[in-house]
Amino acid sequence: MLYRAYQNQADLLSPSRLAAQYLGRALWKEGTERTILRRMAAQFEVFSRMRLTHSRPDYGIASVPVDGVETAVHEEKTLVSPFGTLLHFRKETQSVHPPVLLVAPLSGHFATLLRETVRTLLRDHDVYLTDWHNARDVPLWHGGFSLDDYTLQLIRFLEAVGPGVHMVAVCQPCVSALAATALMAEDDNPATPRSLTLMAGPVDCRINPTGVNELANSKPIEWFRRNLISHVPWPHAGMMRRVYPGFLQLSAFLSMNPERHKKQFQDMVRHLVEGDVEKARTIGTFYDEYLAVNDLPAEFYLETVERVFQTYDLPRGALTVGDRTVNPAAIRRTALLTVEGERDDICSVGQTVAAQDLCTGIRPYLKAHHLQAGVGHYGVFSGSKWNAQIYPRVRETIHAAAELY
């Protein structure tokens, strides 16, 4: 009922948004800055863009600089499964760079949220990305997709890349990335990551709980199952699949900083009125990405809430994948880097570095931690400080580990 109500509302508002888009363009004229006509055009433009979309935006990475030369980049599908694609950003270069699997979160947004992370890594690495599909587009006959399935999918992706791969996980998948590495190390899998970088991930949510952690613990898991899980409505390909709708996850994110988002849209109107189109476009581009939502499989969402945020299975030594218990101490030859943001209000300081204590089998010289001053959650993997201060540590870890083999 919840999803159907949302869909009905979106369908009803669609003509109004299309009309606003048309009127905004019709009223826009050069040289009319700071007039009532320009203000009306700006308000119509912003209203037309304040909408959710459910399709993955383009990555738009056509080229990157490699060794001082602008080099073409091609997106290629290395492995396709019902719930995710292993996407390879192949560069037209003779240079040999370490292969890196960048693990994107499955948390209500598409993997394109890591576009800048991909672009930066491509300078010095051969980059693969977990491009997760929208669950509402996955037909019901493909079955479910649980937290265990997510972890096992990472192992399949790593094996597809092959020996010598390095793994960088951002946010929510840090738990599964650590679990996959531990299982592969225990099996002496040749595709075990040579380095593992965990960035702003909830390894141990008992440490410095955030608003996100408190929300997850405010209700029993049955409440989440009854109130937040919906069936995908007709006419989507995943009709009748149980999902945690992306629009609910986005609503939760927006509610954490409502005034900031309100101000951003007000600033966008102001920039348009004043004729500062470039600043308005920057805000609009961000929200085009931010408002593109991705439905989560119900099994994956509920198990993540319960096992990661409520019962803390990984730090308690109780996390299992299938019938196997995850043993982080089995990791011995993989270098470990943990990264946290000083102002992160989603995954606080201490929650990610906790992985260092769990991985007792890794020698001290293969471990490192970076606490970045002055950044929040998104600043850990995007923005000026990611590029200037965090990325060099990530690159150093990957290249140093590659040379050890």
Side-chain angles (χ1 to χ4, degrees), residues 354-375:
Q356 302 280 352
D357 291 334
L358 296 177
C359 297
T360 56
I362 301 177
R363 297 179 181 88
Y365 70 86
L366 290 176
K367 291 182 176 182
H369 177 64
H370 180 80
L371 175 62
Q372 181 59 53
V375 301

Side-chain angles (χ1 to χ4, degrees), residues 359-404:
C359 297
T360 56
I362 301 177
R363 297 179 181 88
Y365 70 86
L366 290 176
K367 291 182 176 182
H369 177 64
H370 180 80
L371 175 62
Q372 181 59 53
V375 301
H377 189 70
Y378 294 100
V380 170
F381 56 87
S382 64
S384 59
K385 291 186 178 178
W386 147 250
N387 281 287
Q389 299 180 48
I390 299 174
Y391 172 63
R393 294 296 306 274
V394 175
R395 180 182 57 206
E396 176 187 333
T397 297
I398 293 171
H399 286 250
E403 292 175 1
L404 287 175

Side-chain angles (χ1 to χ4, degrees), residues 16-48:
S16 299
R17 297 198 191 282
L18 286 172
Q21 186 179 46
Y22 172 79
L23 287 170
R25 291 174 180 174
L27 292 172
W28 184 273
K29 297 184 186 303
E30 294 295 333
T32 61
E33 291 87 349
R34 302 177 185 275
T35 65
I36 186 66
L37 197 65
R38 177 62 67 87
R39 177 168 290 279
M40 291 174 62
Q43 289 173 342
F44 280 133
E45 170 69 14
V46 171
F47 174 72
S48 71

